[in-house]
Amino acid sequence: MFSDSDPAIRRTRAADATLTVTSGGVPLADQDVVVAQRNHAFLFGCTGFEFIPLANGELVPAPGAGPGGGQGSLGEADSAPVERLAELWLDLFNVATLPFYWGRFEPTRGRPDTERLRNTARWFTERGCPVKGHPLAWHTVSAEWLLELSNEEIVQAQVDRIRRDVTDFAGLIDMWDVINEVVIMPIFDKYDNGLTRICREMGRIPLIRTVFDAAREANPGATLLLNDFDMSAAYECLIEGVLEAGIRIDALGLQSHMHQGYWGEEKTLAILDRFSRYGLPIHFTETTIVSGDLMPAEIVDLNDHQVDEWPSTPEGEERQADEIVRHYRTLLAHPSVEAITYWGMADGGWLGAPGGFVRADGSPKPSYEALRSLVKGDWWLPPTTLRTDGEGRVRLTGALGEYELGAAGRSATFRLDAPGTTSVEVVL
Amino acid sequence: MFSDSDPAIRRTRAADATLTVTSGGVPLADQDVVVAQRNHAFLFGCTGFEFIPLANGELVPAPGAGPGGGQGSLGEADSAPVERLAELWLDLFNVATLPFYWGRFEPTRGRPDTERLRNTARWFTERGCPVKGHPLAWHTVSAEWLLELSNEEIVQAQVDRIRRDVTDFAGLIDMWDVINEVVIMPIFDKYDNGLTRICREMGRIPLIRTVFDAAREANPGATLLLNDFDMSAAYECLIEGVLEAGIRIDALGLQSHMHQGYWGEEKTLAILDRFSRYGLPIHFTETTIVSGDLMPAEIVDLNDHQVDEWPSTPEGEERQADEIVRHYRTLLAHPSVEAITYWGMADGGWLGAPGGFVRADGSPKPSYEALRSLVKGDWWLPPTTLRTDGEGRVRLTGALGEYELGAAGRSATFRLDAPGTTSVEVVL
């Protein structure tokens, strides 16, 4: 049963349900039934970049893994570590973020990496995990070849790219970070790029309108996000301008890379308070909490922090586990938050930071076990035998999500959709 | 003649004019004429708060100042120091900012300080100085009695206040800082106040629309400003949202209190570059450069810096004079800047800072002489005798502004309105 003691989390994330089980129109009275949770309504997300080679058969099976198994050809990576990582991933998360950085997705104009991404998205959806694409427009890692175009042509190329990719993946990817970090986009001055050029010329809001219109038209049913790392009043002002301009945003993306230290509850709550004012769902799109030394506070652009080695430490891992639990529990207690995406399952990703749930050697850290003990522990209903009363009813408290109920060799699924007290009829 | 050597300042602020002088339809050939500048088109502004008592006859004349002159009654301040300050003021500036802080202007609801402010505004306009009112809406120094009202009533009171004051002063004050510091208004958390309440509920842009609509309706010909101290992307985002929402802003107000040190040319130019993108005139509405110790950089809200004494020092005064010249010259070189308002003619104003052009003892600092040597020196045409050619023409290079030409006991005024080469007919 849902056993979190925080009344706010319980009030926001759990339902007290009375199930009435019937079979052939008759209540299944005084019988044992087995109820098991199948999924969370809450989106526990993580990046899935490292599974692209696996999903595309670019790794060789582990030695002895099948007929003719053995060492792969020189340069081919062994699939075993990634498969083990995938098991850990799939046991904890229920939604994946895949990379659509334009400069990597389409380094040569007209030759997008569609097929490999499609295979990867399918790999996830076949395992029950919906996929979000990230991002469709951003000034960082944008396509180099944009620099040869006029501003008008860049806008057209950006719109075409969005239409093409959102269309190509519709049904497989129905959630997109449409545009990333617009607050600094027109004043970004580290290097020339196509997006800063057009954002500066058009203004932030007209560019947002242009890219959202393109994505919306290509997949009207998709969930479209505006995403930023700027948690200051600047992002508030941008959001207010976008909403006043009548642009529909389905969810607000808040990044929360904490390479410089866990925000703490007070800062997190203040941010939630400010960004929930718009009545929009909030997705924490990019969360990182490191299990090693913290990045010095004076660094403003995290990319400026280059270190040779950034190891995970035992003390750091204990701290990370504690902070992960606090962070997730703070966010789940707030009704506006619908998703948390963790940025990098394993260490050694962005900046070489020890930000993962899994060490470089593939072993899970305490943070993995800690989060799993919530997602698949306190907030989860494992297969549980309950006995119906004389009218075929059983009562349970469960996290919002998908369930299966079995009795007498038959089974049915049901959902708990809204928090609070609810009644559900389960027809076997 | 206009003698600034900076080609950018010359290109932006001066005209090369050919005057053709006629009298009775005939060119005034081969004669001496005297040309003198009367005013600058550029708005060299300063606060005029300290002249309210003077303009309202609340000071006693200096001993021996008139018939029966002598010591004033106990408690009445001597007018002489303020009169001396006024002379310095009027010799340097051509536009005044007067205070309309709601909490001081109308501490008791329904009893606004209209008459005293009207007398002061008239005092300035009679001396050739137009007046700007500051501000009509702000969360700081807002009326305490708003706290007893519902949010709906606060909005109505704010609109009524704007309509009343803008109407009462129309013709006398036709320039207003309509709303101040909206970037932080809804998240300001130092103390409860009526404006933060309604800004948080309505959102920034709807509140801006409401107050601008009220001001515009009350005085359609007025110049209406949005004013902020936040020079970050937040203010850009706010401006872009406001413009996308179709709200007409006549000029952007940028504060530039530099109690923590002169910005320097690079930062100033970067700010100009970012805020000139909107094609709107820019007013530097609140400029301070101190002639004493700098406020420590770690202070975020300048109001948090409380010191017993903050003296002006000889080295500080030299530095201030240098920085004042650099700041004004940087701003005048940029075509978007139409006004600079200095915040506090004399030391001892806001925060007790030595930010004035005049010391506490009334003596002008080097900064006063330095700025005056530009405004009434390099950028100014004193009465100058020129000789017309055979076709009644004289040539001059002068700052944009108002001029008088006299010859043979007659005189006429003319204006130089646009930079570059121009021809003007002067009819005596």
Side-chain angles (χ1 to χ4, degrees), chain B residues 240-321:
Chain B
E240 293 180 27
V242 164
L243 297 179
E244 281 296 317
I247 301 166
R248 184 181 133 205
I249 305 290
D250 298 313
L252 289 178
L254 309 187
Q255 299 181 19
S256 51
H257 295 292
M258 304 187 203
H259 296 74
Q260 294 170 312
Y262 170 51
W263 287 353
E265 286 82 357
E266 195 186 357
K267 174 175 172 177
T268 307
L269 288 170
I271 286 171
L272 285 169
D273 185 47
R274 291 195 288 114
F275 289 99
S276 62
R277 282 189 290 141
Y278 308 110
L280 290 171
I282 292 176
H283 289 202
F284 276 72
T285 50
E286 306 181 27
T287 296
T288 315
I289 294 180
V290 295
S291 68
D293 290 343
L294 299 181
M295 188 188 292
E298 64 269 20
I299 291 174
V300 174
D301 185 330
L302 303 187
N303 287 302
D304 290 341
H305 187 64
Q306 302 289 344
V307 284
D308 289 340
E309 267 208 325
W310 195 349
S312 186
T313 64
E315 319 79 64
E317 292 184 358
E318 290 309 318
R319 190 195 59 221
Q320 183 201 37

Side-chain angles (χ1 to χ4, degrees), chain B residues 315-390:
Chain B
E315 319 79 64
E317 292 184 358
E318 290 309 318
R319 190 195 59 221
Q320 183 201 37
D322 174 60
E323 292 169 349
I324 285 284
V325 167
R326 289 163 60 195
H327 191 56
Y328 275 74
R329 298 189 77 240
T330 304
L331 297 186
L332 265 84
H334 196 290
S336 293
V337 182
E338 290 192 346
I340 307 172
T341 291
Y342 201 80
W343 207 255
M345 174 78 176
D347 281 357
W350 184 42
L351 305 170
F357 285 112
V358 172
R359 302 184 189 96
D361 69 5
S363 59
K365 297 180 191 174
S367 57
Y368 181 86
E369 306 299 348
L371 183 57
R372 195 176 176 286
S373 78
L374 293 174
V375 175
K376 290 288 176 74
D378 292 359
W379 302 336
W380 187 255
L381 186 74
T384 302
T385 301
L386 302 169
R387 189 149 186 98
T388 59
D389 65 12

Side-chain angles (χ1 to χ4, degrees), chain A residues 129-179:
Chain A
C129 285
V131 174
K132 184 176 76 169
H134 167 91
L136 290 167
W138 190 27
H139 53 275
T140 302
V141 205
S142 75
E144 286 294 322
W145 46 264
L146 292 174
L147 293 172
E148 289 151 33
L149 307 183
S150 69
N151 281 6
E152 201 180 338
E153 290 166 337
I154 294 172
V155 176
Q156 192 57 52
Q158 176 67 73
V159 165
D160 291 345
R161 183 261 156 124
I162 292 174
R163 284 197 187 126
R164 178 195 64 198
D165 296 338
V166 174
T167 302
D168 283 352
F169 286 86
L172 207 49
I173 298 183
D174 296 321
M175 187 183 294
W176 293 94
D177 289 331
V178 178
I179 188 163

Side-chain angles (χ1 to χ4, degrees), chain B residues 103-363:
Chain B
R104 290 182 198 143
F105 182 75
E106 191 180 4
T108 304
R109 190 171 191 182
R111 299 180 57 187
D113 200 16
T114 310
E115 212 42 46
R116 289 176 79 240
L117 267 295
R118 207 200 304 265
N119 290 336
T120 314
R122 198 172 288 128
W123 187 90
F124 275 108
T125 56
E126 284 168 359
R127 283 156 182 79
C129 284
V131 174
K132 185 177 74 169
H134 168 88
L136 290 167
W138 191 26
H139 53 275
T140 301
V141 206
S142 75
E144 287 293 322
W145 48 264
L146 292 175
L147 293 173
E148 289 152 33
L149 308 183
S150 69
N151 281 7
E152 202 181 336
E153 291 166 337
I154 294 173
V155 176
Q156 193 55 54
Q158 176 68 73
V159 165
D160 291 346
R161 182 262 155 122
I162 292 174
R163 284 198 186 126
R164 178 195 64 197
D165 297 337
V166 174
T167 302
D168 283 351
F169 286 84
L172 207 49
I173 297 183
D174 296 321
M175 189 183 294
W176 292 95
D177 288 331
V178 178
I179 188 163
N180 206 25
E181 303 182 0
V182 185
V183 167
I184 61 163
M185 189 176 282
I187 53 174
F188 180 81
D189 59 3
K190 295 214 165 181
Y191 45 81
D192 188 15
N193 71 86
L195 269 291
T196 291
R197 288 187 193 172
I198 59 173
C199 193
R200 190 179 163 102
E201 183 180 321
M202 300 172 69
R204 293 170 173 93
I205 296 171
L207 178 59
I208 292 172
R209 186 197 300 282
T210 299
V211 295
F212 267 79
D213 280 355
R216 186 77 67 197
E217 192 189 313
N219 185 351
T223 299
L224 303 181
L225 287 91
L226 183 69
N227 192 44
D228 216 297
F229 71 90
D230 190 319
M231 297 294 104
S232 78
Y235 193 27
E236 293 178 40
C237 289
L238 179 67
I239 293 165
E240 293 180 27
V242 164
L243 297 179
E244 281 296 317
I247 301 166
R248 184 181 133 205
I249 305 290
D250 298 313
L252 289 178
L254 309 187
Q255 299 181 19
S256 51
H257 295 292
M258 304 187 203
H259 296 74
Q260 294 170 312
Y262 170 51
W263 287 353
E265 286 82 357
E266 195 186 357
K267 174 175 172 177
T268 307
L269 288 170
I271 286 171
L272 285 169
D273 185 47
R274 291 195 288 114
F275 289 99
S276 62
R277 282 189 290 141
Y278 308 110
L280 290 171
I282 292 176
H283 289 202
F284 276 72
T285 50
E286 306 181 27
T287 296
T288 315
I289 294 180
V290 295
S291 68
D293 290 343
L294 299 181
M295 188 188 292
E298 64 269 20
I299 291 174
V300 174
D301 185 330
L302 303 187
N303 287 302
D304 290 341
H305 187 64
Q306 302 289 344
V307 284
D308 289 340
E309 267 208 325
W310 195 349
S312 186
T313 64
E315 319 79 64
E317 292 184 358
E318 290 309 318
R319 190 195 59 221
Q320 183 201 37
D322 174 60
E323 292 169 349
I324 285 284
V325 167
R326 289 163 60 195
H327 191 56
Y328 275 74
R329 298 189 77 240
T330 304
L331 297 186
L332 265 84
H334 196 290
S336 293
V337 182
E338 290 192 346
I340 307 172
T341 291
Y342 201 80
W343 207 255
M345 174 78 176
D347 281 357
W350 184 42
L351 305 170
F357 285 112
V358 172
R359 302 184 189 96
D361 69 5
S363 59

Side-chain angles (χ1 to χ4, degrees), chain B residues 36-120:
Chain B
Q37 189 170 349
R38 288 289 167 241
N39 200 0
H40 277 287
F42 192 87
L43 299 175
F44 292 101
C46 190
T47 46
F49 304 2
E50 51 272 78
F51 305 115
I52 297 173
L54 181 71
N56 283 277
E58 294 161 7
L59 307 176
V60 295
Q71 286 301 112
S73 315
L74 211 63
E76 285 184 306
D78 179 3
S79 66
V82 183
E83 282 170 0
R84 172 70 188 132
L85 191 67
E87 278 172 38
L88 292 169
W89 197 108
L90 292 164
D91 198 28
L92 187 53
F93 301 114
N94 63 2
V95 58
T97 293
L98 289 181
F100 283 80
Y101 304 105
W102 200 359
R104 290 182 198 143
F105 182 75
E106 191 180 4
T108 304
R109 190 171 191 182
R111 299 180 57 187
D113 200 16
T114 310
E115 212 42 46
R116 289 176 79 240
L117 267 295
R118 207 200 304 265
N119 290 336
T120 314

Side-chain angles (χ1 to χ4, degrees), chain B residues 13 37 39-42 398-403 414-417:
Chain B
R13 304 297 166 190
Q37 189 170 349
N39 200 0
H40 277 287
F42 192 87
L400 304 185
E402 217 174 282
Y403 290 80
F414 66 93
R415 295 185 56 84
L416 299 180
D417 283 322

Side-chain angles (χ1 to χ4, degrees), chain A residues 307-328:
Chain A
V307 284
D308 288 340
E309 267 209 327
W310 195 348
S312 186
T313 64
E315 318 78 66
E317 291 184 357
E318 290 309 318
R319 188 195 62 220
Q320 182 201 38
D322 174 61
E323 292 169 348
I324 285 284
V325 167
R326 289 163 60 195
H327 191 56
Y328 275 73

